Amino acid sequence: MTTSYYKKLLKQLRAKPAKLKRFAKFNAPKERKYGIGTKKCRRCGRTGGHIGKYGLNLCRQCFRDIAVKIGWKKYS
Ligand SMILES: [Zn+2]
C-alpha cells in the first residue's frame, strides 16, 4: 500500500467512525524503523526518489523544483 493511498483511505473512513476504529485495530500500516517507507520527502511526503544527502530530505522532483531557490547552481 502506497503512502498516498493510505491517506486517502483514512479520509474516507473519517465519515464512518466504527469502521475507522476497526481499521486502526487490524489494518494500520506497520511502524517502520528502517527502509524506504521511513524516508519521506519533507515537502510532498513522497517516498520514491529520496535525496537524503546534505540533510536535504527531499524527493528528486521537489529538489528539481526548488534547487535554485535554496542556493544550488547548475554548472553546465
Ligand atoms: Zn517531494
Side-chain angles (χ1 to χ4, degrees):
M1 189 184 284
T2 60
T3 319
S4 62
Y5 184 66
Y6 174 63
K7 281 179 184 169
K8 274 181 202 167
L9 239 161
L10 283 182
K11 198 176 174 186
Q12 289 174 344
L13 283 174
R14 247 174 247 140
K16 303 165 186 167
K19 289 220 174 191
L20 179 66
K21 198 178 167 191
R22 195 171 162 79
F23 183 86
K25 190 175 178 186
F26 296 109
N27 299 27
K30 205 172 173 180
E31 276 300 315
R32 309 271 177 195
K33 289 178 189 150
Y34 50 84
I36 292 172
T38 58
K39 294 176 199 151
K40 283 182 189 171
C41 171
R42 62 177 171 176
R43 189 163 171 249
C44 68
R46 193 184 324 227
T47 54
H50 188 265
I51 303 170
K53 204 172 186 178
Y54 311 118
L56 281 172
N57 290 319
L58 293 165
C59 67
R60 63 176 187 84
Q61 288 88 348
C62 287
F63 178 70
R64 202 180 137 95
D65 286 348
I66 63 167
V68 177
K69 277 185 213 159
I70 59 176
W72 290 78
K73 210 187 274 179
K74 201 170 180 178
Y75 279 104
S76 60

